[in-house]
Amino acid sequence: MVRSDARENRGRIMDAARAAFAETGDVSMNQIAQTAGVGAGTLYRHFPTREALVLAVYQEEVERIVGSVTRLLTEMAPVDALRFWTLDLVEAMRKKHGLGDAISASALHKLNEETYDPVITAITQLLDAAKADGSIRPDADPGDFLQFTGALWRAQADGENRAPRMLDLVIDGLETH
Amino acid sequence: MVRSDARENRGRIMDAARAAFAETGDVSMNQIAQTAGVGAGTLYRHFPTREALVLAVYQEEVERIVGSVTRLLTEMAPVDALRFWTLDLVEAMRKKHGLGDAISASALHKLNEETYDPVITAITQLLDAAKADGSIRPDADPGDFLQFTGALWRAQADGENRAPRMLDLVIDGLETH
DNA sequence: ACCTGAACACCGTTCAAGT
DNA sequence: ACCTGAACACCGTTCAAGT
């Protein structure tokens, strides 16, 4: 039986952590607890370790992204859904790599492992819709696509963001036109 | 002008760090300083940061391995040199991944980046010798070879080490026989 | 059943004092 | 020119006391 204040605190901690990890990730546990407005012990009651907190935040993010596929496909044409969805994913990848110094190498590895399968499933779903639709070549491979987009998160240097343009290039190559 | 005690201390620090990082890597800077028999300040005079020390140790290791190629090629047949050398490299990879939790994700990334070129050069040198010798197929690719061996460092579970056997398999596939 | 926050052991790093 | 090691600010994590 979870008390309501416990669930509320968990939410506040997740919010604070999400905001904290958004760009750099070099934020201490005590800082996150303070921002969330809870004691350090509460933070550790919910997430027994720093790594657990980081993992929880990014698993939630991946779930959100992966879960949005079905809705996107009802709202727009498959190719547009693919484009929109991928930019969302690329942004999440950028955040993940922004963790950089603050996350241990093995924690990052675990993150990648637990993230791979659901992401591939989502890409497959999007590509299949676009193939059924006839807008994308039937031989387009989800793994290849992920590999390509994996390079896009770097493409956000000074000033403007080249990721959308590069993504257009990739998608254009996959289209039957 | 480097004082002789400074050079001696540097060597002692490197020795201590090499031993410390050999398996796990969760050793504090103060511990390393103590093992090396120097004050903490001396450690930081030589390596301004933890990351700098880790990098130095593994760059030295890579240099040693890469530098051994020429000598190996004069001492044994090219294919044997390739086999011997690769096992040495695999062992170094295992150590690197053993750092696991103790090294930051970005430091590990930097390590991989600074290590890639010299390693590929060494592999090329070995493969070229074995190709000239006629023992290995002329179309063998250094990048592919590195990719293959990159999987071998995991193959050292409980008891015995399967890496040599797996490597034999790879090399056998490359031989002209 | 859950929360608070002072406290703990330890970390990477610095710097005054020495030779 | 270099070394020592006590000290600093801070870290992740724990736990007695509260409600």
Side-chain angles (χ1 to χ4, degrees), chain A residues 26-155:
Chain A
D26 65 339
V27 206
S28 79
M29 291 297 265
N30 286 308
Q31 275 169 41
I32 292 174
Q34 202 170 0
T35 309
V38 303
T42 304
L43 172 49
Y44 276 90
R45 161 170 277 264
H46 288 282
F47 305 97
T49 204
R50 180 175 229 277
E51 195 180 300
L53 179 59
V54 176
L55 251 61
V57 167
Y58 280 90
Q59 270 164 7
E60 197 201 52
E61 179 94 349
V62 170
E63 271 166 36
R64 184 187 63 73
I65 295 177
V66 165
S68 72
V69 169
T70 313
R71 186 177 45 78
L72 283 178
L73 283 174
T74 65
E75 286 177 359
M76 52 187 92
V79 197
D80 291 330
L82 179 64
R83 196 188 325 266
F84 191 92
W85 184 88
T86 305
L87 287 178
D88 204 7
L89 179 71
V90 166
E91 177 63 18
M93 283 172 157
R94 231 201 66 245
K95 280 182 195 163
K96 195 178 64 185
H97 280 264
L99 286 163
D101 318 301
I103 203 181
S104 82
S106 65
L108 184 66
H109 188 246
K110 204 177 290 180
L111 213 59
N112 285 331
E113 265 187 346
E114 299 188 352
T115 274
Y116 186 79
D117 278 359
V119 166
I120 280 287
T121 306
I123 293 179
T124 306
Q125 196 180 344
L126 285 158
L127 285 181
D128 281 354
K131 286 174 189 176
D133 179 64
S135 49
I136 275 199
R137 303 207 322 247
D139 63 330
D141 181 76
D144 290 355
F145 187 81
L146 179 56
Q147 195 75 13
F148 269 123
T149 59
L152 296 190
W153 66 266
R154 297 168 188 271

Side-chain angles (χ1 to χ4, degrees), chain B residues 60-82:
Chain B
E60 196 202 52
E61 181 93 349
V62 170
E63 270 166 36
R64 183 187 63 72
I65 295 176
V66 165
S68 73
V69 169
T70 312
R71 185 178 45 76
L72 284 178
L73 282 174
T74 65
E75 287 176 0
M76 53 187 92
V79 196
D80 292 329
L82 179 64

Side-chain angles (χ1 to χ4, degrees), chain B:
Chain B
M1 205 23 190
V2 241
R3 249 163 52 176
S4 67
D5 55 344
R7 181 156 53 240
E8 222 181 71
N9 279 332
R10 193 179 199 281
R12 269 215 285 275
I13 291 170
M14 287 290 271
D15 289 346
R18 200 180 307 115
F21 294 153
E23 289 308 316
T24 50
D26 65 340
V27 206
S28 78
M29 292 295 267
N30 286 309
Q31 275 170 40
I32 292 173
Q34 202 170 0
T35 309
V38 302
T42 304
L43 173 48
Y44 277 89
R45 160 170 278 265
H46 289 281
F47 305 97
T49 204
R50 180 175 228 276
E51 195 181 300
L53 179 60
V54 176
L55 251 61
V57 168
Y58 281 89
Q59 270 164 7
E60 196 202 52
E61 181 93 349
V62 170
E63 270 166 36
R64 183 187 63 72
I65 295 176
V66 165
S68 73
V69 169
T70 312
R71 185 178 45 76
L72 284 178
L73 282 174
T74 65
E75 287 176 0
M76 53 187 92
V79 196
D80 292 329
L82 179 64
R83 197 187 324 267
F84 191 92
W85 184 88
T86 305
L87 287 178
D88 204 6
L89 178 71
V90 166
E91 176 62 18
M93 283 170 157
R94 231 201 65 248
K95 280 182 196 164
K96 195 178 65 184
H97 281 264
L99 287 163
D101 318 301
I103 202 181
S104 82
S106 65
L108 183 66
H109 188 246
K110 203 177 291 181
L111 213 60
N112 285 332
E113 266 188 343
E114 299 188 352
T115 274
Y116 187 80
D117 278 359
V119 167
I120 281 287
T121 305
I123 294 178
T124 306
Q125 196 181 344
L126 284 158
L127 285 181
D128 282 353
K131 287 174 189 176
D133 177 66
S135 49
I136 275 201
R137 303 207 321 247
D139 64 331
D141 181 76
D144 290 356
F145 186 80
L146 179 56
Q147 195 75 13
F148 270 123
T149 59
L152 294 190
W153 66 264
R154 296 167 188 272
Q156 197 164 170
D158 40 49
E160 216 37 24
N161 185 356
R162 299 171 310 163
R165 220 171 54 231
M166 291 175 65
L167 179 59
D168 282 349
L169 221 73
V170 173
I171 291 184
D172 199 66
L174 292 174
E175 274 173 329
T176 50
H177 65 277

